[in-house]
Amino acid sequence: TLQPRDYVDVGTQVSGQLKKLHVEIGSTVKAGQLLAEIDPTVYLSRVDADRAQLANLRAQLADREAQLVLAEQQLERQTNLMREQATTAEALQTAQAQLASARAQLQVLKAQIQQAGSTLRGDEASLSYTRIHAPMAGTVVSQNAKQGQMLNANQHAPIIVRIADLSTMTIQSQVSEADVSRLQVGMDVYFTTLGHAAKPW
């Protein structure tokens, strides 16, 4: 069995239709070269929805910050009035509770923004995975998927192509038991192939 020493099976981390395949068997590729594209429509819509959600939460945060400033001012006003016995203890307690509530709601929104940001980063990563690049330079030696094919990454990582460095090859061969004892390190080895039986390699 003749095979390259260095090779990599290039698969996909996301599911979808293989929209475009930019290489074929025998193509020479460079590291980082675009190999294939998966239809990004679903992943684009998720990213857009995440960004809209994040913008909505940031607007709510600005509103809550304004409410917090108002609650602080009302508490300060009630405290000053209480010093001069011009308000009730109940009004002061209400202002204190409103301030505590405004601070808590602010923390809730900050946590939601952090969560939405994390979701956005994950969906942006999934969107980037719809463009599949070569992890190494080499030659495309096999192709397991066709343009237009649906790929399901949920069950297993579908392999699209195999890229191999053909500059160094390895041979796996079986040697008969009678000949094993005659093998020595450093001895010359040659082989022939079925297509060219007369040409030793």
Side-chain angles (χ1 to χ4, degrees):
T1 303
L2 182 66
Q3 61 185 18
R5 185 184 65 183
D6 298 319
Y7 67 89
V8 62
D9 289 326
V10 182
T12 174
Q13 292 179 262
V14 294
S15 301
Q17 184 181 36
L18 186 57
K19 187 177 180 182
K20 184 72 176 170
L21 191 59
H22 297 280
V23 294
E24 57 187 14
I25 294 176
S27 298
T28 302
V29 299
K30 297 177 182 176
Q33 180 177 330
L34 182 64
L35 302 176
E37 296 176 68
I38 292 173
D39 185 4
T41 307
V42 173
Y43 303 98
L44 273 170
S45 66
R46 287 179 188 169
V47 168
D48 289 343
D50 291 342
R51 286 176 179 159
Q53 173 71 5
L54 201 54
N56 180 30
L57 288 171
R58 284 177 177 153
Q60 289 182 45
L61 180 66
D63 176 62
R64 292 298 178 188
E65 286 172 342
Q67 296 293 330
L68 177 63
V69 171
L70 179 61
E72 287 172 343
Q73 291 171 347
Q74 287 176 341
L75 178 61
E76 186 179 358
R77 189 178 303 115
Q78 290 297 326
T79 303
N80 291 337
L81 290 171
M82 192 66 179
R83 258 192 235 109
E84 299 183 17
Q85 303 293 320
T87 188
T88 63
E90 183 181 357
L92 178 63
Q93 290 170 354
T94 300
Q96 289 172 336
Q98 287 174 342
L99 178 60
S101 175
R103 284 176 176 160
Q105 289 174 6
L106 203 63
Q107 292 304 315
V108 167
L109 274 172
K110 285 180 178 178
Q112 288 176 346
I113 286 172
Q114 190 173 3
Q115 183 180 14
S118 176
T119 303
L120 174 60
R121 287 191 297 274
D123 286 337
E124 283 176 337
S126 294
L127 177 61
S128 71
Y129 294 150
T130 61
R131 293 173 60 84
I132 300 163
H133 297 84
M136 64 176 279
T139 305
V140 177
V141 294
S142 70
Q143 176 184 326
N144 298 338
K146 295 184 178 181
Q147 196 165 293
Q149 182 177 337
M150 287 298 297
L151 303 173
N152 185 358
N154 296 324
Q155 296 175 350
H156 59 86
I159 304 301
I160 297 175
V161 294
R162 172 177 286 189
I163 298 173
D165 178 6
L166 301 181
S167 62
T168 304
M169 304 294 289
T170 61
I171 298 170
Q172 292 182 344
S173 65
Q174 294 183 341
V175 180
S176 67
E177 188 177 349
D179 293 329
V180 167
S181 61
R182 294 164 52 195
L183 295 179
Q184 296 175 5
V185 175
M187 69 188 302
D188 291 336
V189 176
Y190 71 90
F191 67 93
T192 57
T193 60
L194 292 175
H196 298 281
K199 179 175 174 54
W201 298 84

